[in-house]
Amino acid sequence: MIHCLEGPGLKRSTPALPARKLDFSSASLNRAGGRLARRLAAAFIALSLAAPLAMLPQAASAAATKGPDTVADTAAQIMDAVVNISTSQTVAPSRSVPTPELPPGSPFEEFFEEFFKRRQQQGEDQAPRRVSSLGSGFVIDAAGFIVTNNHVIADADEVYANFADGSKLKAEIVGRDTKIDIALLKVTPEPDKPLKAVKFGNSDILRVGDWVMAIGNPFGLGGTLTVGVISARNRDINSGPYDNFLQTDAAINRGNSGGPLFNMEGDVVGINTAIISPSGGSIGIGFAVPSNTAIPIIAQLKEFGETRRGWIGVRIQQVTPEIAESLSLDRARGALIGSVNEDGPAAKGGLKAGDVVVSFDGKEVRDMRALPIIVADTPVDKEVDVVVIRKGQQETLKLVVGRLDEGTASPSAAETPEQKPDAPPPVTTRKLMGVEMAEMTPELRTRFKIKDELKGVVVMSVDAGSVAAERGIAAGNLIVEVNQEATLTPGDVENRLAALKKEGRRSALLMVADPEGQIRFTALPIE
């Protein structure tokens, strides 16, 4: 049998062999045995060489999944830039507990008076006490700028940075941002020699499964390094309007707050901020502020001592599959504009309630959460393109980004006394989609305290267990629009529903306002 390689594969050919006389002599057998031995030896060598080659892909795959052999070299370059943050503050003594009132002549009256009188005297004798806390931070500038979490230094009277070489320097708070829990410190006086500093990396290129290192001060033990992977991205843990956390299984414990999360090149890709743990110790679910979220905020704190976020003046809500179908969108995407602030950047740029923002300044708006983050990171006074879907058509608008006033609370509406006529006139109602509704009257406006400028169909009641009730529609709400057409009477609503049903629509998009004028959209199935 002759084997030959032709092209990429091994092919087999069997040519005819000439007739041969059989020879069983001793010499012949020796020659045959030699040939067999040589062939067996060659086959053994070939197999010996092929086996390791066949195992190479498996070995490479195993090496890729087991993680880095060591991070010691990288750690040696960055450990000195990580510091322990210690704080102290003065706490006033606890207030004394008032003596409870007991019925005169109670057998315990004298005992309680003596007990609480002694407690009050002890409280008056107590002096204000000092309490301390520990956290982590890292140097980002050789001149002494340090990043940590805001909650590490909140309410502190004194802040100190403790370095790996045993030195301890006082630090002043340059600025803080409570919304993403970041603070910038500066050691004072300026150090005699440049401090070891680390640089930020690009958190946007991180993938789930990438290896990372966390370094910090867990439980006050000092510089501690743990290794893990990125478990998830874009986590919303309901801690603020700009939640966009990296999740990691690298061990993060109490005292790690404010410490850095490094990639394998030694660049900071996150700031360790929070953990989920029933016991207070690591269970492998930790969260870090992405470096690309923190970088512009830190730059603002360094330059201005405060944040200067972008703002456009809109209220938004999630685009659900039902709302997407009602708006003729191909899928649930973007951020739905619920209302627009008068004289705000969005209003001046032409945005309207009911628009779905799918792109802002060239960045895709995947969902409702993405828009506030993108807007906040946009420089103030920058003119940007905003792509919206309006009544099924895509439009591009231009607006100039304003500045978010983070120190001004939203004004609350003034309370007015409720007026109830003794004999209110009868109201004609109609029930549609589980909602009993009526045309606006002065009596209904007064009864539900509806602002004078609001117009729409008044919701009188909602059937319990209906979809409308599940979606939060309640008595006193107004149905302002149905599929972006204004409605003033129950008849208007009924006509719009009939037209949508004729078009084959399965749900109707309602613009609903509360008595104060806060607008939102919800989709209800057409009966």
Side-chain angles (χ1 to χ4, degrees):
M1 189 74 66
I2 299 175
H3 298 276
C4 62
L5 290 174
E6 296 180 2
L10 183 66
K11 294 186 179 181
R12 180 175 298 174
S13 61
T14 56
L17 296 177
R20 178 178 299 178
K21 182 179 178 181
L22 298 178
D23 183 1
F24 293 99
S25 64
S26 176
S28 175
L29 290 174
N30 287 337
R31 289 195 299 271
R35 287 195 299 270
L36 178 61
R38 287 194 296 272
R39 289 176 182 176
L40 289 174
F44 177 78
I45 293 171
L47 289 172
S48 299
L49 293 174
L53 292 175
M55 295 174 60
L56 282 177
Q58 299 177 1
S61 176
T65 56
K66 74 175 184 179
D69 289 332
T70 180
V71 295
D73 293 337
T74 304
Q77 299 297 319
I78 58 180
M79 286 288 287
D80 289 346
V82 183
V83 300
N84 300 337
I85 303 295
S86 60
T87 68
S88 61
Q89 67 181 104
T90 302
V91 178
S94 58
R95 298 174 60 184
S96 59
V97 180
T99 305
E101 295 183 5
L102 298 173
S106 170
F108 298 101
E109 182 177 11
E110 182 178 348
F111 170 77
F112 273 100
E113 285 183 354
E114 178 63 25
F115 174 78
F116 282 97
K117 184 177 181 180
R118 185 166 60 251
R119 290 287 302 273
Q120 289 173 354
Q121 289 176 346
Q122 291 174 351
E124 292 172 356
D125 294 338
Q126 288 179 355
R129 56 192 177 90
R130 303 283 290 177
V131 297
S132 60
S133 63
L134 295 173
S136 304
F138 55 98
V139 181
I140 61 167
D141 189 310
F145 285 97
I146 296 172
V147 172
T148 186
N149 282 146
N150 176 64
H151 75 259
V152 170
I153 51 88
D155 303 321
D157 298 327
E158 293 182 328
V159 181
Y160 289 92
N162 304 282
F163 292 81
D165 61 2
S167 61
K168 181 177 182 179
L169 299 177
K170 187 174 182 180
E172 299 292 339
I173 300 173
V174 177
R176 65 179 80 201
D177 177 45
T178 59
K179 288 186 170 59
I180 63 171
D181 196 11
I182 283 181
L184 181 65
L185 311 177
K186 176 71 165 61
V187 297
T188 57
E190 191 166 321
D192 297 333
K193 60 180 180 179
L195 301 178
K196 174 66 177 179
V198 289
K199 62 185 180 68
F200 283 106
N202 184 2
S203 60
D204 287 346
I205 64 174
L206 287 176
R207 300 177 301 165
V208 173
D210 280 346
W211 289 92
V212 288
M213 299 177 288
I215 302 179
N217 181 28
F219 301 106
L221 293 173
T224 301
L225 181 146
T226 57
V227 178
V229 298
I230 296 295
S231 305
R233 294 172 49 88
N234 304 315
R235 284 296 196 210
D236 181 3
I237 61 174
N238 297 314
S239 68
Y242 307 115
D243 277 14
N244 184 32
F245 288 97
L246 299 171
Q247 181 181 328
T248 179
D249 67 349
I252 298 174
N253 291 283
R254 292 179 180 177
N256 275 102
S257 291
L261 187 70
F262 292 100
N263 60 19
M264 291 296 102
E265 286 71 45
D267 298 330
V268 179
V269 292
I271 302 171
N272 301 320
T273 299
I275 61 173
I276 291 179
S277 172
S279 63
S282 173
I283 60 171
I285 305 178
F287 302 98
V289 178
S291 59
N292 285 18
T293 298
I295 288 170
I297 298 301
I298 293 170
Q300 293 171 11
L301 295 177
K302 189 173 182 180
E303 183 176 359
F304 308 112
E306 61 183 0
T307 56
R308 299 191 176 185
R309 286 189 170 92
W311 171 77
I312 60 173
V314 295
R315 289 181 179 270
I316 60 175
Q317 66 181 81
Q318 187 72 19
V319 178
T320 64
E322 295 81 7
I323 290 177
E325 191 271 338
S326 301
L327 292 174
S328 301
L329 296 178
D330 55 346
R331 66 183 188 280
R333 60 189 177 109
L336 177 61
I337 303 296
S339 62
V340 181
N341 293 13
E342 294 183 8
D343 299 325
K348 293 176 181 177
L351 265 70
K352 298 179 180 179
D355 288 345
V356 177
V357 179
V358 295
S359 176
F360 190 93
D361 194 24
K363 302 177 181 66
E364 180 189 4
V365 179
R366 300 182 305 276
D367 52 26
M368 179 190 70
R369 286 180 50 229
L371 184 59
I373 296 172
I374 295 172
V375 172
D377 289 342
T378 305
V380 176
D381 296 330
K382 181 180 180 180
E383 184 180 62
V384 299
D385 289 336
V386 184
V387 180
V388 302
I389 305 295
R390 178 179 294 174
K391 295 185 178 180
Q393 301 296 319
Q394 182 170 300
E395 298 184 22
T396 300
L397 308 173
K398 289 185 178 293
L399 61 82
V400 177
V401 177
R403 180 186 173 187
L404 177 65
D405 184 0
E406 302 188 60
T408 304
S410 301
S412 58
E415 294 291 334
T416 57
E418 185 176 359
Q419 301 177 12
K420 294 185 178 180
D422 294 335
V427 177
T428 302
T429 64
R430 185 175 301 178
K431 182 175 287 188
L432 300 165
M433 300 180 295
V435 179
E436 186 179 18
M437 56 190 74
E439 187 175 350
M440 176 72 77
T441 66
E443 187 274 332
L444 292 179
R445 191 179 293 277
T446 301
R447 182 196 306 182
F448 293 113
K449 302 179 184 178
I450 300 171
K451 285 188 172 182
D452 293 339
E453 63 270 20
L454 298 179
K455 297 179 181 180
V457 180
V458 183
V459 175
M460 303 298 293
S461 64
V462 181
D463 289 348
S466 65
V467 177
E470 293 175 358
R471 302 280 165 81
I473 297 177
N477 288 169
L478 296 178
I479 300 175
V480 181
E481 292 181 358
V482 175
N483 271 67
Q484 300 181 307
E485 295 290 341
T487 53
L488 296 176
T489 68
D492 293 339
V493 176
E494 186 174 27
N495 292 338
R496 288 296 302 144
L497 295 178
L500 293 171
K501 191 172 183 180
K502 188 175 181 180
E503 295 172 6
R505 300 289 185 89
R506 294 174 296 177
S507 60
L509 181 67
L510 274 59
M511 178 191 282
V512 181
D514 67 13
E516 296 295 334
Q518 299 298 329
I519 292 175
R520 62 186 178 89
F521 288 86
T522 188
L524 297 182
I526 299 174
E527 297 175 345

